[in-house]
Amino acid sequence: VEIRSQGPVEAARKGAKAVLIRSVTNFAFRQPHTGATRYVDDVRKIPAAAIPPEDVMMLARMQARKMPVKLRLVLGAKTLPDRQSANAIGELRGREKPEEVVVIGCHIDSWDVGDGSTDDGSGCIMAMEAARMLKAAKLVPRRTIRVVLFTNEENGLRGGQAYAEAHAEEVHAAAIESDSGSGAPWGLGVVASEEQVAALRVYAPLFDPLGAGAIHVGHGGADISPLTRRGVLSLSVRPDGSHYFDLHHSPADTVDKISPAHLQHNSAAMALMAYILAEREEITTIATEKEGDDHR
Amino acid sequence: VEIRSQGPVEAARKGAKAVLIRSVTNFAFRQPHTGATRYVDDVRKIPAAAIPPEDVMMLARMQARKMPVKLRLVLGAKTLPDRQSANAIGELRGREKPEEVVVIGCHIDSWDVGDGSTDDGSGCIMAMEAARMLKAAKLVPRRTIRVVLFTNEENGLRGGQAYAEAHAEEVHAAAIESDSGSGAPWGLGVVASEEQVAALRVYAPLFDPLGAGAIHVGHGGADISPLTRRGVLSLSVRPDGSHYFDLHHSPADTVDKISPAHLQHNSAAMALMAYILAEREEITTIATEKEGDDHR
């Protein structure tokens, strides 16, 4: 992903007229995959695009045969003026310490080439469904569980930043983001030390029936990364990701690719971890040099 | 495929304004799959198009929810004037009966949304490679083996028809077409009676090391179907077709999908069967009510 986001700046520094990359995907079906590109003020902004892997392979074959390759780029992308958007928030109020919060979240925006079901519609369903499951089971934990559907992850992370700023005074016991699609359940990543993760791993047997028992040192999430940087214990729902980048940011990211069963089990894993973190006695604070994941 | 080719006529007869079908594929990655549509003179010609399966699923969901569905079709397809084209033909002349011919063929045209490597570039490579293999092995069979790359299969079958007319006076001992992609080798289909196929099946052990021992009552090919109708023993190279329609007539039909190993083994199977049919004593003639396959 860095090749896409940082490529134009690096290439412009070396005198390139434009950047064309192989789409960030591990599966080719002649679809281009879009995504954010970053420019910086003191470097010339050059055109940048991603093309399907098949076309990249063709260009590479032509080049290997010393055939002349001449490209004409016709790009339609535009940066439109900013518009107001909003995070969507709902809560299960805690029974003893309602002022202490466990965030469960996702991002509600998506690239509009598909419908964004995998990135990150499925994460939003999980967060909402996790709260619904707890409510349906009449489980009211000690602390508040707050569902946050963050806006603008793909294009600036301003939903995550605005949330962290607006709620800076609150005690966040933990934050769990789901932004890795809804493949078969596997586990949860935790931004924490080995010892802190081991303390959570004692709960793994509860997750095993869901297939989500792999509680491991790993990533948080882009939207919760401002919380992570403030020392909030950050986790991510991590399903099997083998096919995540097949769909990621492509026209093929549509709802038919979502397995309802996987979605349900991942939701349950999120609900269970949120409940544990909202219920257990102590609050874990992480070393602030740790950072969240950001695979835009 | 009949839904695509015959749909517009059937729908127009029932008063439809246009026809929109689910692309003819068993695998959805948000690609439309093109192909021939047939009109008849006495029925109104209505617009027709195929859309990706994902979009069909969305429309179906909308309809199931009684949401109003209104579509505006903007179609770019045109029928341009005919241009001269040609079959490409090469021969391995027979040593005893050069006037008797075994055709091995494919079609050289393709839909231009992809590069046509699966439909039917791989078949053309097989036919040429089969002849090259025999030549390299210094095998000169009794009869002539003729490689024919037929033109215009996709849009009228005129290459196949022109061949059959131009060579109507010649003795054709057999014809083998490869137009089913180049999946893992499986076998050869034969348009013939059970007894006639059994007589060929005695050679199956020679094909087994290639994975192509399934010699079975099956199809011939679209381009050789005019020969089939004249009683010529007709065969097809039939690899595993599980993924054939994933690519068929779509932008994803590109050369990177071709396995060189499968291509080589399928070529060898074609070479071997061509050699057997060009070498064996008798010529098998089939009942002319049998017809070739045409899965355009």
Side-chain angles (χ1 to χ4, degrees), chain B residues 66-180:
Chain B
K66 313 245 186 273
M67 291 169 73
V69 174
K70 201 167 176 177
L71 292 164
R72 181 177 146 82
L73 273 61
V74 182
L75 307 182
K78 288 180 201 172
T79 301
L80 298 175
D82 282 352
R83 294 297 289 264
Q84 179 113 27
S85 184
N87 297 329
I89 299 182
E91 285 186 347
L92 267 185
R93 294 287 288 173
R95 66 169 198 277
E96 277 181 27
K97 299 182 171 184
E99 75 289 357
E100 294 182 7
V101 177
V102 172
V103 165
I104 54 176
C106 64
H107 65 86
I108 201 168
D109 63 311
S110 72
W111 291 98
D112 59 5
V113 287
D115 66 22
S117 287
T118 282
D119 182 15
D120 180 29
S122 54
C124 293
I125 298 294
M126 280 181 221
M128 294 190 287
E129 177 66 3
R132 193 203 62 76
M133 283 173 166
L134 292 172
K135 198 173 174 189
K138 298 195 176 20
L139 290 168
V140 182
R142 194 186 305 266
R143 301 181 187 87
T144 291
I145 292 177
R146 182 179 291 163
V147 177
V148 186
L149 317 186
F150 295 95
T151 191
N152 186 237
E153 190 266 355
E154 299 290 2
N155 183 28
L157 219 57
R158 281 181 278 185
Q161 283 158 358
Y163 175 86
E165 284 160 28
H167 299 266
E169 302 304 314
E170 290 178 326
V171 175
H172 283 87
I176 314 175
E177 179 155 359
S178 172
D179 186 19
S180 300

Side-chain angles (χ1 to χ4, degrees), chain A:
Chain A
V1 168
E2 272 181 37
I3 290 166
R4 163 165 49 72
S5 59
Q6 313 297 344
V9 167
E10 294 304 317
R13 283 194 175 123
K14 291 182 165 57
K17 288 191 176 165
V19 163
L20 212 55
I21 64 157
R22 179 185 165 117
S23 289
V24 180
T25 178
N26 50 10
F27 179 77
F29 237 69
R30 201 79 184 277
Q31 292 287 16
H33 293 235
T34 192
T37 296
R38 284 160 206 179
Y39 292 103
V40 295
D41 283 341
D42 60 337
V43 178
R44 194 165 43 92
K45 294 181 183 180
I46 60 174
I51 59 175
E54 288 93 335
D55 299 282
V56 172
M57 289 186 255
M58 184 185 69
L59 291 172
R61 291 192 302 270
M62 292 172 77
Q63 203 165 43
R65 289 174 194 171
K66 314 243 187 272
M67 292 168 73
V69 174
K70 201 167 177 177
L71 292 164
R72 180 177 147 82
L73 273 61
V74 182
L75 307 183
K78 289 181 203 174
T79 301
L80 299 176
D82 282 352
R83 294 297 288 264
Q84 180 113 25
S85 184
N87 297 330
I89 300 183
E91 286 186 346
L92 266 186
R93 295 287 287 173
R95 66 168 198 276
E96 279 181 27
K97 299 181 170 184
E99 74 289 356
E100 294 182 7
V101 178
V102 171
V103 164
I104 55 176
C106 65
H107 65 86
I108 200 169
D109 62 311
S110 72
W111 292 97
D112 59 4
V113 285
D115 67 22
S117 287
T118 282
D119 182 15
D120 180 28
S122 54
C124 293
I125 297 294
M126 280 180 221
M128 293 188 289
E129 176 66 4
R132 193 203 61 77
M133 283 173 167
L134 292 172
K135 198 171 174 190
K138 298 193 175 21
L139 290 168
V140 182
R142 194 186 306 265
R143 301 182 186 87
T144 291
I145 292 177
R146 181 180 290 162
V147 177
V148 185
L149 317 184
F150 295 96
T151 191
N152 186 238
E153 190 267 354
E154 299 290 2
N155 182 29
L157 219 57
R158 281 181 279 184
Q161 285 160 356
Y163 175 87
E165 284 160 28
H167 299 265
E169 302 306 314
E170 289 177 326
V171 174
H172 283 87
I176 313 176
E177 179 155 358
S178 173
D179 185 19
S180 300
S182 189
W186 175 51
L188 292 111
V190 192
V191 186
S193 68
E194 281 287 0
E195 294 70 27
Q196 290 171 321
V197 174
L200 282 177
R201 204 175 291 125
V202 299
Y203 302 104
L206 301 176
F207 292 84
D208 283 332
L210 297 167
I215 296 170
H216 58 284
V217 174
H219 298 292
D223 299 289
I224 60 171
S225 62
L227 297 176
T228 313
R229 280 192 291 272
R230 292 174 189 198
V232 176
L233 181 69
S234 298
L235 298 90
S236 51
V237 178
R238 299 296 289 193
D240 168 31
S242 312
H243 296 288
Y244 180 75
F245 273 94
D246 297 0
L247 303 168
H248 181 255
H249 296 190
S250 88
D253 182 0
T254 53
V255 71
D256 51 286
K257 312 301 188 308
I258 305 295
S259 154
H262 289 165
L263 194 54
Q264 194 174 31
H265 293 150
N266 284 316
S267 301
M270 192 183 220
L272 183 54
M273 185 54 86
Y275 184 80
I276 290 167
L277 295 168
E279 187 64 32
R280 68 177 187 160
E281 204 68 42
E282 72 281 17
I283 289 180
T284 301
T285 304
I286 60 170
T288 52
E289 70 270 19
K290 298 251 177 210
E291 289 216 7
D293 176 37
D294 176 4
H295 58 58
R296 281 171 294 167

